[in-house]
């Protein structure tokens, strides 16, 4: 009763004629391709513990559809990969760029920054259209202090990969660090356009607006960033600064302490301690303010603004000797600090 069937199968390699018949299977051999769909994992009623393959009905025969599948599988297996297409060949320039970039990253991990810069430059020269190589070169240049070159490289990287919002954010951060708040806002807008839920993009625009003096808009953007990343440290620091500038010391203190709570004792950042000290001083809590400001002054490199704030608090507390030491330290950090000179003159000693 053998019934012969033929089907024409169209594939990328040409036209394959598949011949299949109906063949009876022994009773103890399960069918490979069931005649009815089998539930997949995740489908309603599917049970992972069941075998995916099931037996066909009691006729124990394979219909034309399964037989055709056998024919297709046979042709594909016997044809090798030629039907699926040949693997693409990666240009040597791209291979060289990736290899040089890997070496550059290894040099960064070892702290060999000059070597890393040389390798990343060679990577960019090997493949000028590689956005990642340019990003890596920009970061190394930024660390060395070559900020103009770093900005040029990161902006070029974005032009090569305009769908990458992280490059837009980094370009904006570099611009903002140079004091260019308006270009930074523009980069933030690009990043938000690519990903409206990017905390980094909203934080960048909030900080840039804060630097531009637009406090209300900055506040809205920073809160938007916190909505996507509630513990974002840079956002909390910027919010504390904003509240300080807006004359809201209690909010400044609350935000600064929320930031400080994320660090272990002894690891709090200098800027957060400074903000806490300023808020405490504005609230009239000079003793607590002196403690925070002293800790801030010792936590990082000497900063005239921190030392001046400490000198003013200690002066109010009647501790003239401590205030004078702080004022002299501020003058040592910034020889043009007129506030330190004024405090020392008021205390009766400038030497």
């Amino acid at each position: 009763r053998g019934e012969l069937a033929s089907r024409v199968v169209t594939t990328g390699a040409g036209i394959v004629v598949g011949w299949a018949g109906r063949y009876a299977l022994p009773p103890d051999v399960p069918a490979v391709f069931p005649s009815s769909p089998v539930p997949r994992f995740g489908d309603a009623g599917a049970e992972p513990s069941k075998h995916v393959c099931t037996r066909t009905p009691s006729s124990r025969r394979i219909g034309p559809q399964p037989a055709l599948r056998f024919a297709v599988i046979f042709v594909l297996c016997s044809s090798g990969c030629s039907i699926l297409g040949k693997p693409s060949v990666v240009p040597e320039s791209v291979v060289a760029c990736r290899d040089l970039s890997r070496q550059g990253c290894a040099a960064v991990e070892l702290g060999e920054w000059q070597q890393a810069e040389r390798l990343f430059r060679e990577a960019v020269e090997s493949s000028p259209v590689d956005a990642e190589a340019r990003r890596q070169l920009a970061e190394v240049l930024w660390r060395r202090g070559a900020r103009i070159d770093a900005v040029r490289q990161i902006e070029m990287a974005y032009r090569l990969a305009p769908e990458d919002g992280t490059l837009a954010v980094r370009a904006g951060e570099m611009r903002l660090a140079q004091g260019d708040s308006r270009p930074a806002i523009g980069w933030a807008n690009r990043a938000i356009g690519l990903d409206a839920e990017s905390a980094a993009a909203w934080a960048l625009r909030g900080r840039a607006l804060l630097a531009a003096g637009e406090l209300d808009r900055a506040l809205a953007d920073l809160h938007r960033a916190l909505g996507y990343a509630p513990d974002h440290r840079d956002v909390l620091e910027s919010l504390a600064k904003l509240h300080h500038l807006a004359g809201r010391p209690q909010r400044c203190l609350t935000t600064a302490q929320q930031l400080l709570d994320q660090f272990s004792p002894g690891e709090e950042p200098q800027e957060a301690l400074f903000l806490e000290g300023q808020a405490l001083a504005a609230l009239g809590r000079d003793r607590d303010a002196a403690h925070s400001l002293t800790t801030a002054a010792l936590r990082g490199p000497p900063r005239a603004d921190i030392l001046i704030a400490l000198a003013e608090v200690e002066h109010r507390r009647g501790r003239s000797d401590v205030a004078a030491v702080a004022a002299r330290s501020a003058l040592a950090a910034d020889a043009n600090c007129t506030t330190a000179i004024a405090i020392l003159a008021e205390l009766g000693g400038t030497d």
Side-chain angles (χ1 to χ4, degrees), residues 239-324:
L239 269 176
K241 288 180 181 178
L242 188 152
H243 290 313
H244 173 68
L245 292 173
R248 297 190 285 262
Q250 186 57 59
R251 290 189 180 183
C252 175
L253 178 62
T254 301
T255 307
Q257 290 179 340
Q258 183 181 350
L259 173 60
L260 290 169
D261 287 343
Q262 298 187 28
F263 297 89
S264 301
E267 297 181 358
E268 303 92 342
Q270 186 180 52
E271 186 65 23
L273 290 166
F274 181 34
L275 288 165
E276 181 187 48
Q278 288 177 302
L280 289 167
L283 292 169
R285 298 168 55 181
D286 286 343
R287 182 176 180 179
D288 294 333
H291 175 74
S292 295
L293 293 170
T294 300
T295 306
L298 298 174
R299 186 55 50 85
R303 283 178 49 179
D305 53 351
I306 296 177
L307 292 164
I308 287 298
L310 177 60
E312 291 173 341
V313 167
E314 295 292 16
H315 186 26
R316 284 199 302 270
R317 295 180 66 198
R319 303 180 65 187
S320 301
D321 52 343
V322 179

Side-chain angles (χ1 to χ4, degrees), residues 22-239:
R22 294 186 179 182
Y23 300 94
L25 293 177
D28 58 341
V29 178
V32 178
F33 295 102
S35 58
S36 60
V38 177
R40 298 172 298 176
F41 297 149
D43 291 346
E47 299 181 25
S49 60
K50 301 289 185 180
H51 291 291
V52 175
C53 294
T54 59
R55 289 183 59 82
T56 55
S58 57
S59 65
R60 302 193 305 276
R61 294 178 179 274
I62 304 177
Q65 285 284 354
L68 177 61
R69 295 171 187 166
F70 273 127
V72 173
I73 291 175
F74 174 78
V75 172
L76 288 175
C77 292
S78 61
S79 301
C81 297
S82 60
I83 292 178
L84 302 178
K86 296 182 180 180
S88 59
V89 178
V90 180
E92 291 184 4
S93 60
V94 175
V95 174
C97 176
R98 293 174 181 173
D99 183 56
L100 289 165
S101 294
R102 283 193 293 269
Q103 295 180 49
C105 291
V108 168
E109 292 179 359
L110 295 174
E112 299 174 354
W113 296 101
Q114 291 183 346
Q115 176 75 352
E117 181 179 337
R118 181 185 65 79
L119 290 166
F120 287 136
R121 283 192 183 279
E122 291 181 7
V124 169
E125 291 172 1
S126 176
S127 181
V129 296
D130 192 299
E132 179 61 17
R134 289 190 180 276
R135 183 195 67 79
Q136 292 166 330
L137 176 58
E139 295 296 349
V140 173
L141 290 169
W142 185 263
R143 186 187 183 281
R144 182 165 66 81
R147 295 194 164 190
I148 295 177
D149 289 342
V151 169
R152 185 172 66 250
Q153 291 296 336
I154 199 69
E155 291 182 348
M156 191 174 297
Y158 174 79
R159 286 195 291 272
L160 293 170
E163 74 288 347
D164 191 340
T166 61
L167 291 174
V169 170
R170 189 66 183 118
E173 289 173 342
M174 289 184 177
R175 284 286 194 176
L176 183 59
Q178 289 184 299
D180 301 329
S181 59
R182 289 301 168 188
I185 293 172
W187 281 111
N189 288 335
R190 290 188 184 93
I192 291 170
L194 291 168
D195 182 3
E197 296 184 0
S198 169
W202 288 105
L204 170 62
R205 198 170 79 172
R207 294 198 303 271
L209 289 168
L210 177 60
E214 300 185 38
L215 301 188
D216 291 338
R217 291 182 61 196
L219 180 63
D221 282 358
L222 292 172
H223 276 296
R224 185 76 174 265
L226 279 183
Y228 297 120
D231 296 325
H232 198 300
R233 293 176 177 178
D234 289 343
V235 175
L236 289 172
E237 181 180 307
S238 297
L239 269 176

